[in-house]
Amino acid sequence: MDALLRLLLRFLVVPLGYIAGMLATMVVVVVGYWQLGELLSNVTEMELFAVMEALLMASLALAALVTTMWLVATIGILFAEAFAIRAWLYHTANGAISAFVGAQLFTPDAGDTLLFDGDLYILAAGLAGGLAYWAVAGWSAGFWKPVWPAPQPALPPAPTASALPPPAPPSAPQPPAP
């Protein structure tokens, strides 16, 4: 029964970790690569709606990119769940590698000569996403392996002096054999 409850809990915790990892990935790309603070600081009131519309459309493209990255990360997540790998280093490396591979899979059209110099931001986004996933779900990966060991049964109390049998009387010395 305990294993069934842990399995059901994994069905809840893993998607929450997945969402947390995707959000952390998006935040790193938006704040780091797009430099959102610098972009919005120079916007006049007239340009604000145009910039917000452009950010909305770019966010949809970013969501597609992040989804591609995390689809690759699903392989590592399933591996971690199957073998109960709980190391934070594994999950952050899984995030970084899958983000890089996912970004390479998400290429522009063949005719475009778009120069993308954000590989460092992609790796940083993957590291942040992997760490966020580990913080929510990865630290307790593997439903069949309990996080905390079962408590050991308590030892019975030591017998008191009154409960011990009386000592045996000293035996008489034996005469030597001739």
Side-chain angles (χ1 to χ4, degrees), residues 20-116:
M22 290 178 78
L23 288 175
T25 302
M26 289 180 82
V27 165
V28 168
V29 170
V30 167
V31 173
Y33 185 66
W34 289 358
Q35 299 176 353
L36 188 63
E38 186 177 319
L39 177 71
L40 292 178
S41 66
N42 298 328
V43 174
T44 64
E45 194 172 317
M46 297 295 283
E47 299 171 330
L48 185 62
F49 290 110
V51 169
M52 288 301 166
E53 183 181 359
L55 284 176
L56 179 65
M57 292 300 135
S59 296
L60 292 175
L62 179 63
L65 173 66
V66 169
T67 302
T68 305
M69 292 175 182
W70 276 88
L71 285 176
V72 176
T74 304
I75 298 167
I77 290 171
L78 290 175
F79 188 79
E81 289 294 325
F83 296 107
I85 300 172
R86 297 176 176 168
W88 68 271
L89 190 59
Y90 171 82
H91 289 284
T92 54
N94 179 36
I97 292 168
S98 62
F100 186 75
V101 170
Q104 300 308 314
L105 292 175
F106 195 80
T107 57
D109 293 334
D112 287 344
T113 58
L114 179 66
L115 178 63
F116 179 71

